[in-house]
Amino acid sequence: MVHPDEFKGPEADALPDTATVPAELAALYLCMPPAQLADLRKSKRPDGRAGNGASIIKPVEGGAKDPVLYQLGTLRGFAKTHTAPTAFDTALDSGLPGWVSARLPFFAEREPRIKRGRRVLIGGAWDRADPLREKRFADLAKGRIRFTSLTCAEAAASLWADVASHSALAEKGLALLRRETAAIDAALAATAQLAAAFNPDAVA
């Protein structure tokens, strides 16, 4: 983590390329699970191919047991050249199963004492197109906010910092439920028609 007062002025809303972040935040920045980033970090992957992960930045006086750090400029460059759908995108595109089972990262407020035990969410941390993502990532790195892993269903049932963001996420879930309900209704109607075709005297 960087110190809250380390960057000021124009850099207050976006960390400079020279800033370093731990592997957990690096994975979040790249929209991938930490295990995937760890695999990319290897010089050779299990299948024998050379790794193609972002360069590792280690503390100058650090030893083998020190945490791995990534330079943010390296992460930004890696993200620009790897624009394929992420694991989080795939989970969201899987429909209702992904909505209720896949755990995704969300930016969240630091909980004031009065709200302790209640999640107060700010937005999805996987959305690379979010214009506020760099600012939120800077706030996260400085310890001003946090992130939490939830399913979209859990997030929709949580408290949010603003109604618009909450509604935007909730509407996606409601749309999935409407599609599922419509598919069930259509199947029931088709079953009734099939039953009537074989037994005209049956009551639908």
Side-chain angles (χ1 to χ4, degrees), residues 7 33 39 44 65 93 138 162 166 169 171:
F7 302 110
D39 181 57
K44 284 190 176 181
K65 294 183 179 180
D93 290 341
D162 68 275
H166 194 173
L169 177 78
E171 179 52 39

Side-chain angles (χ1 to χ4, degrees), residues 101-187:
S101 64
R103 301 188 72 80
L104 305 176
F106 288 84
F107 290 116
E109 290 183 350
R110 285 286 180 190
E111 296 171 336
R113 185 172 300 178
I114 193 172
K115 297 175 181 175
R116 190 166 299 279
R118 302 296 300 278
R119 301 183 183 98
V120 181
L121 304 181
I122 300 171
W126 70 87
D127 186 1
R128 291 180 292 190
D130 184 351
L132 295 176
R133 190 169 192 269
E134 284 289 336
K135 179 184 184 306
R136 288 172 173 166
F137 191 83
D139 287 341
L140 176 67
K142 295 172 184 179
R144 295 173 180 168
I145 61 175
R146 64 190 181 93
F147 77 93
T148 183
S149 294
L150 303 169
T151 67
C152 286
E154 290 171 335
S158 298
L159 297 176
W160 282 65
D162 68 275
V163 175
S165 297
H166 194 173
S167 297
L169 177 78
E171 179 52 39
K172 294 178 181 179
L174 292 173
L176 287 171
L177 290 173
R178 285 193 290 268
R179 285 199 292 272
E180 290 291 323
T181 300
I184 292 171
D185 286 340

Side-chain angles (χ1 to χ4, degrees), residues 23-92:
E24 183 184 31
L25 293 192
L28 180 67
Y29 189 87
L30 295 178
C31 299
M32 63 175 61
Q36 182 180 355
L37 180 60
D39 181 57
L40 291 175
R41 195 163 61 233
K42 297 174 184 176
S43 59
K44 284 190 176 181
R45 304 198 312 191
D47 58 10
R49 292 182 295 153
N52 62 348
S55 300
I56 302 173
I57 306 298
K58 284 276 214 177
V60 176
E61 61 274 41
K65 294 183 179 180
D66 288 314
V68 174
L69 298 176
Y70 282 87
Q71 195 168 51
L72 198 53
T74 301
L75 300 178
R76 286 174 174 144
F78 184 87
K80 287 179 181 178
T81 58
H82 295 75
T83 57
T86 69
F88 300 138
D89 295 325
T90 302
L92 288 174

